[in-house]
Amino acid sequence: MKKNTTSCPRVDIGGQAVMEGVMMKAPDAIAISVRRPDGVILTKRKTYVPLSKKHKWMGLPIIRGVVNFVTMLSMGMNVLQESTDMLGIMDEEPTKFEKWLSKKLGKGIDKIVMGTAIVLAVILSVGLFFVIPELVARGLKALIPNQNWLVNLLSGIVRILILIGYIAFCSTVPDVRRTFEYHGAEHKTVYCNENGLPLTPENAQQFTTLHPRCGTAFLLIVFVISIVLFTLVGYQGTNYFLRLGSRLLLLPVVAGISYEVLKGLAHSSGKLVEILRWPGMQMQRLTTKEPTDEMLEVAIVSMNVALHGLPEGCPKTADGYTIIRDYRVADPAFADVLAEEANAEQTAPEENNESPAEEAAAENATGSLKEKAEEAKEAVKAELSDAASADQQS
């Protein structure tokens, strides 16, 4: 298969599924692309400078994991908001309560909704993955005292089971399942780019939806590392609130170590590495689904825009989003091909463009030819008949 000269050099390209689309994150820019109900793809691109380049100490091992964790949380919420704006989901008329709340707080409806969603998400995460497991741990300590390692192991398993159950439940919601399909499109496109193949749906479809750098794998590693750290340095007493507080305080350290582990596993090979990767890869079967070709087109647009910039000559919406009608225009490798196709369409001779008079003349000419052909046939028949009569007389 022909290699793609426009695919990026060996750098980690990450991404995220958003509402009806995909965000791709290149080393110096992010691109968000969504497909609107009318079928067109809207895309936008924003450049950024990683914090590790602004502040060298933020790129140090462990610390960079914490920085990346916080950055991706913030960026993730922002791109979700961007995708809803691009789709026009928030365009409907706000309710009287929303207008009142917006007026009192001095913020737009979209910011209020997103802010509320963030607060609820944090409360839900802390409740599911810290409060409940620590309540379980409290009960276990009463049943099996002086067995801190076992209590932490069992409460960690409870966290993992809650995570699996929560994701499985979410996947039953149709809109969430579509987002998981776009998640699969993101992974397939990243694989396609990493293998240096032209970014087409046909090439991307051959790859798996399971990727070693996926955030789902990161979450599982976080939960496993937390079991070890909570056992080694966490508060092991019976005071519930001290136990909960110590776990929350250790979360940044857990995230930093987990990032290094994920990065190491993603860029290593060998049988042991495959064994260590396996649980995280299998978790992705819950958060990724097989995408359609149309979903892959959206992911491909995001990949190309993030790497190469916005395509020239495409129209824009009133909000400044670039309109993509053919996913290939975002790839510089196809620019010349599309230009040739456009020129061919413009210079191709048009069919059925004759005037009524010309059509009538053509029909008359055709009729005349038919009449002459019939006359010729009759003449040949007459000659054959005369020849046959002459033979009989002789």
Side-chain angles (χ1 to χ4, degrees), residues 68-240:
N68 185 72
F69 179 70
V70 175
T71 301
M72 289 308 297
L73 279 178
S74 174
M75 183 180 293
M77 298 306 295
N78 286 333
V79 298
L80 280 174
Q81 176 62 53
E82 291 277 5
S83 67
T84 58
D85 291 342
M86 295 168 76
L87 288 170
I89 293 177
M90 301 299 292
D91 288 346
E92 62 266 15
E93 181 68 19
T95 64
K96 291 182 178 179
F97 173 73
E98 289 172 334
K99 290 180 179 179
W100 175 84
L101 194 60
S102 177
K103 183 178 180 180
K104 292 296 181 181
L105 297 179
K107 296 182 179 294
I109 297 297
D110 55 342
K111 294 186 181 300
I112 292 173
V113 172
M114 187 55 64
T116 303
I118 293 172
V119 171
L120 291 176
V122 170
I123 293 173
L124 180 64
S125 298
V126 172
L128 286 177
F129 304 120
F130 288 93
V131 174
I132 293 176
E134 287 309 315
L135 285 173
V136 173
R138 184 179 184 180
L140 289 173
K141 284 188 71 67
L143 293 175
I144 44 176
N146 302 320
Q147 297 291 332
N148 292 328
W149 69 270
L150 183 57
V151 169
N152 288 322
L153 174 63
L154 293 176
S155 63
I157 291 174
V158 169
R159 284 189 181 89
I160 294 173
L161 292 176
I162 290 174
L163 175 65
I164 294 173
Y166 177 72
I167 295 174
F169 170 76
C170 289
S171 65
T172 62
V173 180
D175 287 344
V176 175
R177 185 177 179 84
R178 281 189 64 81
T179 303
F180 288 170
E181 289 171 1
Y182 274 107
H183 190 192
E186 175 227 325
H187 284 187
K188 284 174 176 276
T189 303
V190 169
Y191 267 127
C192 191
N193 180 74
E194 289 174 343
N195 283 270
L197 298 177
L199 296 179
T200 66
E202 294 76 18
N203 287 341
Q205 283 287 19
Q206 67 183 298
F207 294 102
T208 177
T209 62
L210 314 180
H211 197 283
R213 293 200 316 275
C214 176
T216 307
F218 175 74
L219 283 177
L220 186 60
I221 292 173
V222 164
F223 283 22
V224 173
I225 296 295
S226 69
I227 295 173
V228 178
L229 277 184
F230 293 169
T231 301
L232 294 177
V233 297
Y235 173 76
Q236 307 299 335
T238 57
N239 188 301
Y240 171 78

